[in-house]
Amino acid sequence: EKPEGSRVAFLANRFAMAADDENVPRRRREPKDVEYDDGRAPPKPKTLLDYVRSISLLHVFFLLLFVLPTIFGMYEWLASHGYLGAANVASSRGRGRVNWAARESIKAVYRDYNPEKLKGKELEKLNAIMDKYAGREDILLRKVVTKYKSQKPRDDYD
C-alpha cells in the first residue's frame, strides 16, 4: 500500500486514469509558428528536385565540416601506407612529410663548407639524396653536420 499523499501514489493514480481513458484525444507537438491545414505533417517531396530543395544548407555545411577532414585524413593515411597503389607510395615513400626547414639547413651547411655540391650534377645528386630521406631530413642533417663540423667554413663565396 502506498500512502495517499506521496508522489508515487499521485503518479500511479495519474497513470491508471490515463490507461482507463483511451478515448481522450492525444495532442501532437507541432513546431511553433507552423500551422498545417489538416493538422498532419507536410507532404513528402514528390520529385528529386523537391527533395533537394528541402535540404537545409546549414545541415549540409555542418555535415561537411565534420566529415571532410576525416575523409582527407583517411586518404592521407591510406596513401602513405601503400593501400592506394604504388604511385602514391613512391611519391611519399611512407615516411611522412618533407621537412623543408631541414632541407634548407642542409643546403646552408653545403653553402658554407662545400659550395661545389650546390652546382650542376652535384645539386641533382644532393636533391636525390634528400628525396631518399624525405620525412627524415633531420637524420641527413645530423650526418652532414657531423661530416663537416671539424672543418672551417669557406669564405670564398661565388
Side-chain angles (χ1 to χ4, degrees):
E1 292 291 323
K2 300 173 187 97
E4 278 300 313
S6 73
R7 177 111 175 119
V8 175
F10 170 77
L11 291 174
N13 188 24
R14 177 95 175 189
F15 288 130
M17 287 174 32
D20 291 341
D21 195 11
E22 293 181 8
N23 295 329
V24 175
R26 305 281 184 229
R27 283 191 47 156
R28 248 183 38 185
R29 288 188 176 182
E30 298 290 340
K32 290 184 178 179
D33 302 328
V34 175
E35 294 182 20
Y36 302 114
D37 294 339
D38 57 359
R40 293 184 300 177
K44 293 183 180 179
K46 294 179 181 169
T47 65
L48 180 63
L49 186 59
D50 291 338
Y51 181 74
V52 170
R53 286 182 182 158
S54 69
I55 297 174
S56 167
L57 292 178
L58 185 65
H59 291 111
V60 171
F61 169 76
F62 280 107
L63 178 70
L64 294 177
L65 180 70
F66 293 113
V67 171
L68 284 180
T70 305
I71 291 172
F72 288 134
M74 287 173 47
Y75 177 80
E76 183 178 354
W77 186 87
L78 290 170
S80 68
H81 287 79
Y83 291 107
L84 298 179
N88 291 319
V89 176
S91 64
S92 68
R93 296 210 184 267
R95 293 191 178 104
R97 297 175 190 241
V98 174
N99 185 347
W100 294 104
R103 283 185 174 223
E104 289 303 316
S105 298
I106 292 167
K107 287 181 180 179
V109 170
Y110 278 119
R111 195 171 26 253
D112 291 342
Y113 292 95
N114 193 358
E116 290 82 25
K117 287 272 192 182
L118 299 175
K119 297 178 187 168
K121 294 222 179 237
E122 292 295 321
L123 180 61
E124 291 175 16
K125 287 180 187 177
L126 178 62
N127 286 332
I129 291 171
M130 285 197 280
D131 287 341
K132 180 180 172 185
Y133 279 87
R136 302 175 298 146
E137 287 88 352
D138 53 334
I139 296 171
L140 181 61
L141 178 61
R142 199 173 321 128
K143 288 181 178 183
V144 170
V145 168
T146 303
K147 178 179 179 180
Y148 289 108
K149 72 179 177 184
S150 61
Q151 297 179 12
K152 282 183 71 177
R154 294 181 55 175
D155 293 329
D156 55 336
Y157 293 110
D158 290 345

